Amino acid sequence: MSLLEVRNLSTRFKLIDHTVRAVDGISFSVEHNETLAIVGESGCGKSVTAMSLMNLIQAPGEIDSSSEIIFEGKNVLEMNDSELKELRGGKIAMIFQEPSASFNPLFRIGSQIAEALKIHQGAAKDEALVQAEKLLDSVKISEPDRRVKNYPFQLSGGMLQRAMTALAISCSPKLLLADEPTTALDVTIQAQIIKLLQDEASEKNMSIIFVTHDLELIDGFADRIMLLYAGRVFEQSTAPEFFDNPLHPYGEDLMNAIPRMGLFKDEHKLYTIKGQVPDEKSKPIGCAYAPRCRKCFDKCVNEEPPLFSVNSRNVRCWLFENKNLSTDGEDK
Amino acid sequence: MMTETVLEVKNLTKSYSLKAGGFSFSKERVHALSDVSFSIGKGKTLGLVGESGCGKTTTGRSLLRIIEPDRGKVFFNGSDTNFLSLPEKEMITERLKMQYIFQDPWQSLNPKQMVGRIITEAPLQHGLIKRENALEVSKKYLDIVGLPSEAARKYPHEFSGGQRQRINIARAIVMKPDFIVCDEPVSSLDVSIQSQILNLLLDIQQEFGTSYLFIAHNLSVVFYLSDEVAVMYAGKIVEKAPSRKLYEDPRHPYTKLLMAVAPKIDGKPVSLQPGQDGEVPSLTKLPKGCSFAERCPIASEECRRSIPPLKTVEFEHKVACFKAL
Amino acid sequence: MKKGSPFEIPWLKFRRNPLGMISLVILIILYVSLLLEGFLAPYNPSTKFEEKSFQPPHNIHMIHNGKFIGPFVYEYRMTNTFLKEYKVDRRQVHKLRFFVEGEPYKLFFFIPAKRHFFGTVDGAPFFLMGADRLGRDLLSRIIYGARISLTLGFVSVFVSLFGGLVIGGLSGYLGGAADWIIMRMAEIVILLPTFYFFLFLRSIMPSGITPAQKFLFITLILAIPGWAGSARSIRNWVLSLKNRDFVVAAQLAGIPKMKIIFRHIIPQIRNIIILDITLSIPGVILGETGLSFLGLGITEPSVSWGMLMNAALDVNILSHYPWILYPAITIIITVFSFFTFGYALKDAFDPRSQG
């Protein structure tokens, strides 16, 4: 059984004059000890997906009642408040782009981690503080004995991000949701955090869902990739397959648009994806990417493609319509 | 070099005092920039790369006197008067030929002004165009940056980030500048939009012969777009070389670190050498010697004692490191 | 509301707030009635009726001697000229009708007209809210009083806001010593107890000036403490906005300082200024009421609500002729409407609330 199984997740935001379908019928699963990267541009629904997994969507947003999020055999969307409270920060932990989202500025770092340990593991106060210090040490924060007594503002951005990671993994979660945790950080610090996540995941048999806009960042880090666009799954592949040969033209275009290390303007022109990400009001009838796609043909404009399975990969593109029969895919 | 120099910067230095405002006094100073020097040729791009707090934005802002530097010299367009010592009125006139493209497309356009007005405000103010031609001028520049002419009558909130950045670019080039500071112009944009803007900047450079100071934290973008790249660390330039040369033969350990940790599509996980997990030192108490020494795998006693000067190690290649020769 | 206008969404949100809508309607009625004062009021505010001093409000009847004859009032006759006691004379009937002819007035302040909204057919005095000491119709005086009470608030707030904009704008934009000095001055003004400050300013008002000059002077008195509060809040906004990139862009474009403040910074806080206006007006209305109540504000022959309240200063009078408190009710309704409207507006402008 998969650790997490998401079926037909849809999340809408009812705004004053229209409804935004932020996430529109997404299905995927996360296996034990696996890192899944959810990749996409702004507005593709990646962060809303992550928030939905923890049932953290607040009004005016709502998760469609036909959605299912099965974690260890139980539907997260049917849990009551106390079960949810135990789940969040317990078996599923979360880290954000802004560490300030996790820390209360008025309490010391150590006591906040200890608090989490007390809630989720029933540790005694003194014991929890000792453990907090060990955790800070394990995320390679120097002088952990001094840092536990620090307030959040006394730590640098990178250190705070580590401390947040320490807080998140303090209760040995089965699944870590990381929503753009390195976007606000410098490259050297970003590398340190990625390394830390990798090490912690393999050491503690933890699965990771890593939400990001940065394709380059997840190569060599993620096991599988789910590419989102306008609230829809565009491609699901293993990372090596994807980076070797992205199936969806959107993925391919993205790879060609990135100024990769070692390209220079005098010998290489970057591919330009025309147009822009559609918002709710300008979503096309057919494939959401059709207006920008260089491989677009009539069918793409008129009809939205379903998710086709190609050699155990999924892709939402009419180009793969006839290759669909080659294997029996996951998407039934 | 054979090309004409548009901008010559010498020993730009800036420090801030840490006072909170009002009447508090504090001796502590943040050394944001120390003796930064470079020059940019006509139609060329100098890339300035480094992590946050390294002084790259301060460099861009203080050479345009958005913030006044403590000392240094800036010579613009071969003039032999120092731009930094011009009185305010002349400075403003001189500065019209230098423009700035901001990082955040959401903060850099007045939300209450129509786009046409945003683009033509400066030329109108200085009588470079007539009021009755303003709309036409704005449409012409909207066309250059690839926006429809109806955009002139809309407000910024009706545009996406990438489109706003185009408006920013239109506002900059309407003054027909010789030189533009591009401060992280693509870092807040989506991947699919980044290449549009980068290509637009390249096209404009080709057509108008504009010089750029391209500030970014993303090494691969800087390598791609620049003719020459300067790497900054803790307020100093630590290495400077033509783009390809720097890519093929980085000498400074910090440049090497940046290249090692930059995310790449190569199927390999990030690799960090031992000792590479430090952070940028606090700019209020810089170490006595090389600022990078603490994090440097090859630092010696000498590095901790004295500051390495920026020395030419090869033709057009300068490095500030005792060990890199 | 026009599609795409910056007020479209706030208006959609505002419409959903019943209290806000009610207060908006009340305010509209109040200001429309200000334009129609001569028509709505049965009499001119200075018309005195002999033998009608402190006549209580008339009761409106429909049935006379068991017969329905439409709305009418009975004659009230004074029985005690000393205590101003009245007795209803059930024999004499004055029929009431809409759109009757009466005293001449000027519609919209310039069209000569004689028709009033309502009145007695035979021209006998009719006091819906009673009469004052000199036998003047209180309702008419309240309606005419709105002219000063409702406009003075607006004018005064605009004066103080303009001062606040210039002073606060410069203070925030220039920063440094100028900012420090201006803000300390503003704080001193804020710290002064407002009402005593009014009294002090009033004491330097020259005597023997025309009613129009007096109105202007009172307006200024009420405006003076107001600039400090606006200047402070505007200064803080300017401070937070002046380092925004679009302001830096304007500086790079060589736009002069005052133009930057008024074209690039002030428009960003338009909503806040609108709120500031709506929430300051009630304070000024109350300020005027206070001054006039003490007889230090608007005086005869002008009429204002506060001045009408001045008659209630004497507890003896108040206990015998309680209807002279009617102006207080209008003041309360007006002030309450401004506050409710202001807070509903605040919610509507708040981008975080989804209505």
Side-chain angles (χ1 to χ4, degrees):
Chain A
M1 193 178 66
S2 306
L3 176 68
L4 177 78
E5 178 92 42
V6 176
R7 293 189 205 118
N8 200 22
L9 174 67
S10 295
T11 306
R12 284 156 225 276
F13 288 84
K14 289 212 169 88
L15 299 186
I16 203 139
D17 50 353
H18 65 292
T19 299
V20 175
R21 291 168 292 160
V23 174
D24 203 1
I26 287 180
S27 301
F28 63 93
S29 63
V30 180
E31 306 303 321
H32 289 274
N33 216 350
E34 178 188 57
T35 298
L36 169 74
I38 303 182
V39 199
E41 298 181 275
S42 57
C44 72
K46 53 190 191 299
S47 286
V48 178
T49 305
M51 297 298 273
S52 303
L53 294 183
M54 298 273 264
N55 203 353
L56 278 173
I57 298 293
Q58 282 172 356
E62 63 179 38
I63 300 174
D64 202 275
S65 55
S66 66
S67 311
E68 284 180 297
I69 298 170
I70 313 290
F71 179 74
E72 291 190 322
K74 274 194 88 173
N75 191 345
V76 174
L77 298 176
E78 285 166 6
M79 287 182 181
N80 60 32
D81 282 354
S82 65
E83 285 174 302
L84 277 174
K85 214 170 166 184
E86 205 175 306
L87 182 76
R88 297 179 193 143
K91 285 194 168 164
I92 305 183
M94 204 161 179
I95 54 176
F96 306 91
Q97 182 175 341
E98 279 299 316
S100 51
S102 289
F103 284 112
N104 184 329
L106 299 177
F107 294 95
R108 296 173 202 275
I109 297 283
S111 66
Q112 294 194 49
I113 297 177
E115 189 63 29
L117 290 170
K118 277 195 297 194
I119 292 173
H120 291 287
Q121 300 189 337
K125 197 182 168 195
D126 302 344
E127 189 190 327
L129 270 172
V130 176
Q131 227 179 317
E133 201 178 309
K134 274 187 196 152
L135 275 162
L136 288 185
D137 189 43
S138 76
V139 295
K140 300 207 177 62
I141 287 179
S142 54
E143 304 172 83
D145 50 331
R146 202 161 62 85
R147 293 299 176 192
V148 285
K149 294 194 191 84
N150 279 167
Y151 289 94
F153 75 90
Q154 291 171 301
L155 270 60
S156 70
M159 237 194 278
L160 208 53
Q161 196 60 266
R162 282 156 188 269
M164 176 161 74
T165 310
L167 177 65
I169 60 178
S170 61
C171 303
S172 312
K174 286 276 194 306
L175 177 64
L176 180 71
L177 280 173
D179 188 0
E180 304 252 12
T182 62
T183 304
L185 301 176
D186 280 320
V187 270
T188 55
I189 313 297
Q190 168 171 280
Q192 296 167 15
I193 298 290
I194 297 287
K195 183 96 187 340
L196 173 69
L197 289 179
Q198 278 176 324
D199 294 349
E200 292 295 333
S202 63
E203 196 177 306
K204 298 199 162 139
N205 286 333
M206 180 172 73
S207 299
I208 299 178
I209 292 181
F210 194 86
V211 176
T212 182
H213 68 282
D214 190 347
L215 273 175
E216 292 175 288
L217 185 59
I218 51 179
D219 180 40
F221 168 46
D223 299 308
R224 283 194 302 131
I225 280 178
M226 176 161 82
L227 180 66
L228 298 187
Y229 189 78
R232 292 290 214 171
V233 173
F234 264 27
E235 179 164 346
Q236 284 168 317
S237 296
T238 67
E241 282 171 337
F242 179 84
F243 286 109
D244 194 39
N245 171 32
L247 290 180
H248 201 289
Y250 172 55
E252 201 180 336
D253 291 350
L254 279 183
M255 302 271 279
N256 289 330
I258 299 172
R260 297 204 216 164
M261 186 75 88
L263 295 180
F264 297 92
K265 63 179 172 187
D266 45 11
E267 55 174 35
H268 181 92
K269 190 156 167 74
L270 295 180
Y271 177 71
T272 300
I273 303 178
K274 63 187 175 193
Q276 51 191 318
V277 181
D279 59 19
E280 191 62 32
K281 288 170 182 165
S282 61
K283 266 188 196 170
I285 313 161
C287 171
Y289 188 62
R292 311 177 72 188
C293 184
R294 73 206 134 81
K295 292 179 177 173
C296 166
F297 53 99
D298 285 351
K299 197 165 188 176
C300 309
V301 180
N302 299 322
E303 206 181 326
E304 196 189 4
L307 207 54
F308 295 114
S309 286
V310 183
N311 302 327
S312 78
R313 300 167 70 177
N314 294 328
V315 57
R316 189 184 296 280
C317 176
W318 285 119
L319 288 172
F320 298 90
E321 188 179 8
N322 300 320
K323 296 166 187 159
N324 194 24
L325 302 170
S326 59
T327 52
D328 47 289
E330 305 158 31
D331 185 55
K332 281 172 201 161
Chain B
M1 278 222 274
M2 296 302 108
T3 48
E4 203 184 318
T5 304
V6 165
L7 192 79
E8 173 107 42
V9 177
K10 284 184 176 160
N11 302 91
L12 204 60
T13 300
K14 174 76 188 169
S15 63
Y16 303 95
S17 67
L18 269 185
K19 65 173 189 180
F23 285 110
S24 70
F25 294 96
S26 163
K27 286 260 167 63
E28 271 196 310
R29 293 186 78 78
V30 178
H31 302 275
L33 283 184
S34 328
D35 287 314
V36 169
S37 308
F38 56 82
S39 65
I40 303 177
K42 185 165 173 47
K44 297 286 177 192
T45 303
L46 172 70
L48 212 50
V49 71
E51 294 176 278
S52 54
C54 72
K56 51 191 196 302
T57 293
T58 311
T59 305
R61 295 207 163 202
S62 55
L63 70 89
L64 286 195
R65 294 178 65 180
I66 296 171
I67 39 183
E68 294 282 349
D70 301 342
R71 64 189 167 83
K73 288 180 178 141
V74 172
F75 300 101
F76 183 57
N77 262 348
S79 153
D80 48 10
T81 38
N82 180 5
F83 172 72
L84 298 182
S85 56
L86 285 179
E88 184 166 332
K89 247 183 136 173
E90 289 165 48
M91 181 271 280
I92 286 174
T93 321
E94 181 87 0
R95 195 165 62 179
L96 296 176
K97 288 280 169 198
M98 313 181 206
Q99 289 293 315
Y100 202 96
I101 296 172
F102 296 87
Q103 166 175 9
D104 185 347
W106 303 98
Q107 292 232 359
S108 48
L109 303 174
N110 181 345
K112 301 287 192 303
Q113 262 186 331
M114 276 200 275
V115 167
R117 195 63 215 266
I118 290 175
I119 294 173
T120 53
E121 187 173 22
L124 276 175
Q125 176 71 35
H126 300 281
L128 302 176
I129 57 171
K130 291 204 187 90
R131 197 158 287 276
E132 55 267 32
N133 299 336
L135 191 65
E136 217 169 297
V137 171
S138 64
K139 285 177 176 173
K140 179 182 156 202
Y141 279 89
L142 283 170
D143 185 55
I144 293 177
V145 299
L147 286 174
S149 56
E150 304 92 79
R153 293 191 177 279
K154 292 185 176 171
Y155 286 93
H157 70 88
E158 299 175 64
F159 297 92
S160 67
Q163 290 171 320
R164 285 159 161 259
Q165 213 52 305
R166 288 173 191 269
I167 297 168
N168 257 319
I169 293 172
R171 170 173 64 188
I173 61 174
V174 75
M175 295 303 286
K176 304 199 171 64
D178 298 304
F179 164 67
I180 303 179
V181 176
C182 309
D183 188 358
E184 303 253 15
V186 298
S187 62
S188 63
L189 301 178
D190 275 323
V191 189
S192 73
I193 308 299
Q194 280 190 13
S195 66
Q196 293 177 357
I197 299 298
L198 292 176
N199 282 335
L200 177 63
L201 287 173
L202 287 175
D203 292 346
I204 283 166
Q205 185 166 49
Q206 281 236 302
E207 195 172 332
F208 300 95
T210 325
S211 308
Y212 293 143
L213 177 68
F214 190 86
I215 298 170
H217 68 279
N218 184 328
L219 201 55
S220 23
V221 173
V222 171
F223 275 143
Y224 175 73
L225 207 81
S226 312
D227 298 287
E228 200 181 14
V229 174
V231 180
M232 286 190 79
Y233 188 77
K236 295 186 194 72
I237 291 181
V238 294
E239 185 162 12
K240 189 158 76 87
S243 181
R244 187 184 299 271
K245 188 174 259 176
L246 190 66
Y247 171 70
E248 282 164 0
D249 184 20
R251 300 288 185 93
H252 197 284
Y254 179 61
T255 314
K256 290 180 184 168
L257 170 66
L258 278 184
M259 287 178 65
V261 298
K264 291 176 277 286
I265 297 180
D266 55 5
K268 277 182 264 173
V270 225
S271 63
L272 272 180
Q273 305 305 317
Q276 287 185 336
D277 47 7
E279 289 193 30
V280 183
S282 151
L283 293 175
T284 50
K285 24 182 195 274
L286 285 178
K288 215 171 98 204
C290 172
S291 333
F292 190 63
E294 266 180 81
R295 302 169 73 180
C296 184
I298 54 167
S300 67
E301 261 316 297
E302 191 189 9
C303 303
R304 292 190 179 87
R305 241 190 355 258
S306 48
I307 299 173
L310 191 62
K311 274 204 313 208
T312 307
V313 286
E314 210 182 303
F315 178 61
E316 293 181 334
H317 195 159
K318 290 179 171 181
V319 184
C321 178
F322 294 122
K323 300 277 178 173
L325 291 169
Chain C
M1 195 70 29
K2 206 182 115 238
K3 196 124 182 84
S5 130
F7 291 112
E8 186 191 351
I9 299 281
W11 173 238
L12 282 176
K13 284 200 249 175
F14 185 85
R15 261 190 354 200
R16 293 190 194 173
N17 185 332
L19 269 181
M21 282 307 280
I22 292 170
S23 55
L24 177 64
V25 169
I26 293 177
L27 289 176
I28 288 173
I29 292 173
L30 281 171
Y31 278 90
V32 167
S33 68
L34 189 150
L35 291 176
L36 297 171
E37 53 181 20
F39 172 68
L40 292 174
Y43 308 104
N44 288 338
S46 49
T47 306
K48 295 168 193 163
F49 295 93
E50 302 277 323
E51 306 262 305
K52 294 296 177 199
S53 176
F54 287 127
Q55 193 212 290
H58 276 114
N59 284 325
I60 299 175
H61 303 269
M62 291 286 183
I63 295 161
H64 179 59
N65 289 341
K67 231 172 83 191
F68 179 83
I69 59 161
F72 68 92
V73 292
Y74 290 113
E75 176 73 19
Y76 284 36
R77 285 191 205 286
M78 200 184 284
T79 52
N80 182 336
T81 45
F82 181 66
L83 283 175
K84 318 276 191 246
E85 283 171 353
Y86 286 82
K87 211 180 149 191
V88 182
D89 178 357
R90 293 204 171 260
R91 288 162 306 168
Q92 193 165 352
V93 165
H94 304 294
K95 287 192 180 171
L96 295 170
R97 289 294 177 269
F98 284 114
F99 308 116
V100 293
E101 273 196 15
E103 295 181 342
Y105 63 94
K106 292 212 167 69
L107 185 65
F108 301 124
F109 311 111
F110 67 95
I111 307 169
K114 277 183 164 181
R115 297 240 170 241
H116 290 261
F117 186 42
F118 59 90
T120 52
V121 180
D122 54 7
F126 163 54
F127 305 122
L128 190 61
M129 292 186 175
D132 69 359
R133 193 173 55 85
L134 298 177
R136 292 173 297 194
D137 177 32
L138 197 54
L139 173 67
S140 300
R141 289 176 70 73
I142 288 175
I143 292 174
Y144 276 94
R147 192 199 295 184
I148 285 179
S149 292
L150 291 181
T151 50
L152 191 135
F154 255 100
V155 176
S156 165
V157 165
F158 274 103
V159 170
S160 73
L161 190 76
F162 186 75
L165 277 178
V166 173
I167 296 170
L170 278 174
S171 183
Y173 192 77
L174 297 176
D179 179 41
W180 196 87
I181 291 166
I182 292 173
M183 280 307 112
R184 294 305 83 79
M185 274 168 52
E187 273 152 23
I188 289 170
V189 172
I190 289 169
L191 281 174
L192 290 172
T194 319
F195 200 75
Y196 291 96
F197 194 49
F198 285 155
L199 293 181
F200 161 71
L201 289 170
R202 174 63 179 72
S203 70
I204 55 173
M205 181 166 92
S207 52
I209 52 176
T210 66
Q213 284 172 327
K214 200 171 219 176
F215 174 78
L216 229 91
F217 206 92
I218 303 275
T219 310
L220 285 180
I221 288 178
L222 294 171
I224 285 172
W227 74 265
S230 330
R232 260 182 77 87
S233 73
I234 285 162
R235 175 254 184 192
N236 288 340
W237 281 102
V238 171
L239 210 58
S240 77
L241 285 165
K242 76 167 179 186
N243 291 324
R244 289 284 177 85
D245 287 344
F246 66 83
V247 177
V248 174
Q251 290 165 344
L252 284 176
I255 311 293
K257 282 188 184 66
M258 280 314 258
K259 239 181 178 173
I260 292 184
I261 294 178
F262 275 93
R263 190 186 288 164
H264 292 276
I265 297 181
I266 302 295
Q268 315 307 323
I269 50 178
R270 183 193 56 206
N271 292 356
I272 289 154
I273 290 172
I274 294 175
L275 278 183
D276 197 30
I277 292 174
T278 29
L279 293 174
S280 315
I281 290 176
V284 178
I285 292 180
L286 288 175
E288 185 272 330
T289 309
L291 277 183
S292 302
F293 177 68
L294 295 177
L296 300 171
I298 304 294
T299 46
E300 302 279 0
S302 314
V303 193
S304 82
W305 293 346
M307 196 199 91
L308 295 177
M309 296 288 296
N310 178 237
L313 205 50
D314 186 336
V315 181
N316 260 324
I317 293 182
L318 189 60
S319 58
H320 280 98
Y321 321 112
W323 56 89
I324 57 165
L325 266 184
Y326 271 124
I329 296 174
T330 16
I331 293 170
I332 289 168
I333 290 175
T334 310
V335 168
F336 188 74
S337 300
F338 268 112
F339 275 127
T340 322
F341 175 68
Y343 285 114
L345 209 58
K346 192 177 175 186
D347 280 345
F349 281 146
D350 186 353
R352 281 163 301 182
S353 83
Q354 268 292 326

